[in-house]
Amino acid sequence: MQYSDLLIETHGKVAVIRLNRPKALNALNDNMMNELGDALYKFDADSNINCIVLTGSEKAFAAGADIAAMADYNYQDTHGGNYIGRNWEHILNIRKPVIGACAGYVLGGGCELAMMCDFLIAAENAKFGQPEIKVGVTPGAGGTQRLPRTIGKSKAMDMLLTTRMIDAAEAERTGLVSRVVPTEKLLEEAIAVATQIAAMPVSVAMQIKDAVNRAFETTLTEGVRYERRYFHAGFGTPAQKEGMHAFLEKRTPNFDGL
Ligand code: CO8
């Protein structure tokens, strides 16, 4: 598939997917979401790739869903045959780690897409917000669900009801992002972090991702049981043998292909 709204690069075992509709601040339209799903599935299945970085431009990760495309929709258009949302959640099926590298505006559907990544690295200039109420709708891709689970009810309500944007420092303070880096270094830093992850056994990275996501869907006891099954099953795998023996032999483990 040729992409018109994405740019793709690879750096060793790291794939970088860049949202690329600069004239519309990367507003997320149907074609871009189709392309994003395609690219994510492709890299998830590619044994040469262990980690994916999803980013936008310095001005905008994404300023939301494409308002121009949606403005004249009616209920049949959104919920009918071309159901909005059908191509928004492919990212949740990706087994390998996906890091969101966010600069500039991260708004509405852009913030929701970012929250579907495994963790976020923010540029100092990043601004996160859920301004949907200002265009007369609720969020539709998890803004009312993932945001309060991530930053707490009070901050989430404040952002959702007033449309207040939070800056990178506040986003880090609230746990929405894991690190803040200088704006001009965002991609370099994100690739460095992804490269570190890509050197780990991808099989274990995928299990950790699955187990962490389970934490949001189940009780603590069931979640720990789920984790314990992965832990027990890990014994006897090449990754466990290589990791533990490399430690005992005081050498760097080689998790290539594991
Ligand atoms: N959709 C379409 N076009 C956009 C969007 C958008 N979300 N955001 C910006 N643009 C366009 C502008 O129309 C403008 O185009 P043009 O040059 O042709 O006029 C261009 O990008 C540059 O934007 P501005 O001139 O407005 O730039 P400013 O620097 O003045 O302002 C802002 C930047 C503050 C980001 C401003 O553009 C803005 O407020 N944008 C809209 C933000 C917004 O409301 N986002 C939420 C949209 S609704 C949503 O995301 C619902 C998600 C539901 C997903 C459900 C899936 C199931």
Side-chain angles (χ1 to χ4, degrees):
M1 186 177 190
Q2 289 285 345
Y3 301 129
S4 54
D5 294 332
L6 301 180
L7 298 173
I8 304 288
E9 298 168 14
T10 55
H11 300 260
K13 288 176 178 288
V14 174
V16 177
I17 302 174
R18 188 189 285 277
L19 306 173
N20 186 43
R21 294 187 70 212
K23 287 189 185 140
L25 299 180
N26 288 336
L28 304 163
N29 66 10
D30 201 44
N31 183 63
M32 188 191 262
M33 297 316 282
N34 274 337
E35 292 186 357
L36 179 59
D38 184 87
L40 285 165
Y41 284 128
K42 193 177 115 216
F43 288 127
D44 203 39
D46 183 344
S47 57
N48 295 312
I49 295 298
N50 283 3
C51 190
I52 300 165
V53 173
L54 176 60
T55 194
S57 69
E58 194 168 309
K59 215 166 163 203
F61 176 78
D66 189 336
I67 299 170
M70 296 185 291
D72 294 324
Y73 278 0
N74 58 31
Y75 181 70
Q76 174 59 23
D77 296 321
T78 58
H79 187 257
N82 206 25
Y83 182 78
I84 296 186
R86 80 190 181 289
N87 53 7
W88 274 70
E89 293 182 341
H90 291 312
I91 190 167
L92 300 177
N93 297 326
I94 302 307
R95 298 160 311 147
K96 292 174 183 169
V98 180
I99 301 173
C102 300
Y105 294 111
V106 191
L107 302 180
C111 190
E112 294 173 307
L113 177 63
M115 288 190 288
M116 286 189 254
C117 295
D118 296 315
F119 67 94
L120 300 180
I121 300 178
E124 276 166 350
N125 79 342
K127 287 191 173 88
F128 297 82
Q130 297 285 166
E132 285 91 338
I133 194 169
K134 218 158 55 182
V135 291
V137 291
T138 66
T144 64
Q145 303 302 306
R146 290 195 181 87
L147 193 62
R149 280 169 169 81
T150 308
I151 69 173
K153 179 179 167 185
S154 190
K155 286 259 184 208
M157 283 288 198
D158 180 355
M159 289 173 68
L160 287 155
L161 295 175
T162 69
T163 77
R164 181 170 79 85
M165 294 185 209
I166 61 171
D167 64 15
E170 190 171 1
E172 187 183 26
R173 220 164 46 240
T174 57
L176 181 58
V177 310
S178 72
R179 328 179 177 197
V180 179
V181 300
T183 301
E184 65 285 2
K185 294 208 157 192
L186 175 65
L187 192 58
E188 185 186 326
E189 295 280 344
I191 291 172
V193 174
T195 300
Q196 210 181 343
I197 294 170
M200 307 293 173
V202 67
S203 56
V204 184
M206 292 193 300
Q207 290 169 346
I208 289 172
K209 170 170 174 162
D210 184 41
V212 170
N213 284 330
R214 197 74 185 175
F216 294 92
E217 308 289 347
T218 192
T219 63
L220 180 59
T221 305
E222 283 307 317
V224 173
R225 279 192 190 135
Y226 194 81
E227 175 193 79
R228 188 72 39 89
R229 282 196 286 274
Y230 272 137
F231 176 71
H232 287 157
F235 285 79
T237 61
Q240 177 262 332
K241 292 288 170 259
E242 172 63 10
M244 293 196 179
H245 286 286
F247 176 81
L248 295 173
E249 292 158 19
K250 303 193 186 305
R251 63 176 173 83
T252 307
N254 176 358
F255 291 121
D256 250 10
L258 304 183

